Amino acid sequence: MRVTEKLRVVDADTLLSTPLEKTAFIVDGLIPMGVTLLGGSSKIGKSWLMLWLGLQVARGDPLWGMATHRRDVLYLCLEDTMGRIQNRLYRLTDEAPAGLRFATACGKLGSGLEEQILQALRDYPGTRLVIIDTLQKARDSRSAAGKNGLYSADYDDMSALKDLADSQNIAIVLVHHLRKQQDSSDPFNQLSGSTGITGAADTNMVLQRLRGSTTATLLITGRDVDDQQLHLRFENLTWHLVERSSSEEIFREQIPPVLFRLVAFLKDRREWTGTATELLAALGDRETPGNVVTKYLARYADEILQPAGIRYRSRRTGQSRLLHFTHDSSDGHDGNPDI
């Protein structure tokens, strides 16, 4: 009879009262220990960014105003030659740190790579950042789909890297490609492969840049970092920070302007009822399609209307749908403890 080990459980009271180590970072607020996935189109400037990251961490210099913790770096440049790396270093710096080390070949995931990284950590115990450029070059393409499907194979590979990062308390940054097909609803859906890749990563980043443009946007989301957008400019072979947007600023930028005009419109009104077309006419809005107003209201009512003390409901009468708003000075809650 198979003996199953008991679950190791902890009660909430004990958890709240037990001091635990906070997540450590290589770059404060940007790259925590664990697995970070950086996606971007081919030849967009990912490798220049990774080389500069390696230099900054190995020297302990700030990255876009964010503090780095000086550590040794192992950079697996799997799509480059030592000559190309040397040429890039010549163009970026006159004095490179000894703590930044390179390799242009390695084993595959599940076939030697993990052991090679462990050996490198033993040889250079100060190493806390490992960059793999690119993830696909470190995978065995012959068995990428696996017998259990693409998602399972993607998740297993990423889990192996995450287990390595967590057990050794290091940060692993994986450079990855995007699909050719765009997805305007969620840029992170553009990352090549299944959701097993993004789901297993601790932090996901997407670098978006139009061909021929010197500016780009780095989108960031993760378990231990705040959602943010970094607006960058590529100048002198280095990505410079132009502006940083917080998660709240990003969210507000996504909210259709018509909803802010609606809040202002209802500020001095106790209630209003009418169709979407009548509402847009009252707001003086000639650009927003009437058939999307109800979708906006359903999506953002809790975030925009409720905090302003505006209650909203809709009902269909005959061939039209009536929108009904009431405005009071409360916080939008009706006393129901389940809401």
Side-chain angles (χ1 to χ4, degrees):
M1 180 178 178
R2 181 183 176 187
V3 178
T4 303
E5 184 179 353
K6 291 179 62 177
L7 289 174
R8 298 179 181 178
V9 301
V10 59
D11 63 83
D13 180 61
T14 300
L15 186 59
L16 281 176
S17 60
T18 303
L20 298 175
E21 287 188 13
K22 294 182 179 180
T23 301
F25 282 78
I26 284 292
V27 180
D28 285 351
L30 187 69
I31 301 178
M33 298 301 186
V35 174
T36 295
L37 186 71
L38 169 69
S41 300
S42 178
K43 307 298 187 294
I44 199 176
K46 302 186 300 295
S47 293
W48 283 107
L49 176 55
M50 289 296 97
L51 180 56
W52 186 58
L53 168 65
L55 283 168
Q56 296 301 95
V57 171
R59 292 186 294 213
D61 291 340
L63 183 83
W64 300 322
M66 292 173 276
T68 63
H69 298 267
R70 184 175 180 178
R71 299 291 187 270
D72 287 2
V73 180
L74 172 62
Y75 189 175
L76 305 183
C77 311
L78 306 181
E79 293 186 340
D80 289 313
T81 63
M82 285 297 179
R84 188 177 299 149
I85 299 166
Q86 183 187 60
N87 182 57
R88 288 176 179 167
L89 281 172
Y90 279 144
R91 300 171 73 180
L92 282 180
T93 184
D94 294 326
E95 211 171 305
L100 174 57
R101 302 177 180 89
F102 303 92
T104 58
C106 66
K108 302 293 185 181
L109 265 169
S111 301
L113 175 59
E114 296 94 317
E115 291 77 11
Q116 288 177 327
I117 293 176
L118 287 171
Q119 184 59 55
L121 296 179
R122 288 191 290 268
D123 292 342
Y124 308 104
T127 303
R128 284 295 175 268
L129 172 61
V130 176
I131 302 170
I132 302 178
D133 186 358
T134 61
L135 170 63
Q136 195 58 38
K137 290 287 287 186
R139 302 181 73 191
D140 188 348
S141 59
R142 293 171 299 179
S143 58
K147 64 179 181 180
N148 295 320
L150 180 60
Y151 176 90
S152 179
D154 285 346
Y155 196 85
D156 287 347
D157 281 351
M158 292 294 292
S159 294
L161 289 169
K162 178 164 172 52
D163 289 344
L164 177 62
D166 291 347
S167 66
Q168 301 302 310
N169 192 31
I170 62 173
I172 298 178
V173 176
L174 307 170
V175 179
H176 199 41
H177 295 299
L178 300 182
R179 297 189 181 96
K180 293 182 179 179
Q181 185 176 4
Q182 300 295 305
D183 188 334
S184 58
S185 64
D186 187 350
F188 294 97
N189 289 338
Q190 298 174 28
L191 289 162
S192 182
S194 73
T195 54
I197 290 182
T198 55
D202 296 294
T203 307
N204 289 297
M205 303 181 179
V206 172
L207 183 65
Q208 295 181 319
R209 174 190 181 188
L210 294 176
R211 292 295 177 190
S213 174
T214 60
T215 61
T217 301
L218 182 63
L219 308 173
I220 303 163
T221 187
R223 300 185 180 102
D224 301 302
V225 299
D226 294 331
D227 288 0
Q228 53 192 299
Q229 289 182 1
L230 304 184
H231 304 282
L232 309 174
R233 183 181 69 254
F234 193 62
E235 186 176 18
N236 296 326
L237 305 177
T238 302
W239 287 104
H240 299 271
L241 178 66
V242 176
E243 184 182 19
R244 178 185 290 109
S245 299
S246 66
S247 56
E248 181 177 349
E249 291 168 334
I250 295 169
F251 175 74
R252 293 188 70 84
E253 288 174 1
Q254 295 172 340
I255 296 172
V258 65
L259 296 184
F260 293 109
R261 292 198 292 272
L262 173 61
V263 171
F265 172 73
L266 293 172
K267 182 178 181 181
D268 299 320
R269 291 173 171 82
R270 294 290 295 177
E271 65 178 319
W272 188 92
T273 302
T275 65
T277 301
E278 292 169 342
L279 175 62
L280 292 171
L283 297 176
D285 189 325
R286 298 182 179 180
E287 298 180 359
T288 304
N291 62 347
V292 303
V293 171
T294 54
K295 294 181 182 178
Y296 289 163
L297 290 168
R299 168 64 181 86
Y300 296 103
D302 288 346
E303 292 88 349
I304 299 301
L305 302 185
Q306 186 174 331
I310 299 171
R311 303 168 190 267
Y312 157 72
R313 69 176 186 272
S314 68
R315 59 186 177 88
R316 180 170 291 281
T317 58
Q319 298 299 314
S320 62
R321 176 174 292 278
L322 289 181
L323 312 179
H324 180 69
F325 303 91
T326 57
H327 184 203
D328 57 41
S329 58
S330 70
D331 61 3
H333 291 288
D334 60 8
N336 187 335
D338 294 327
I339 294 178

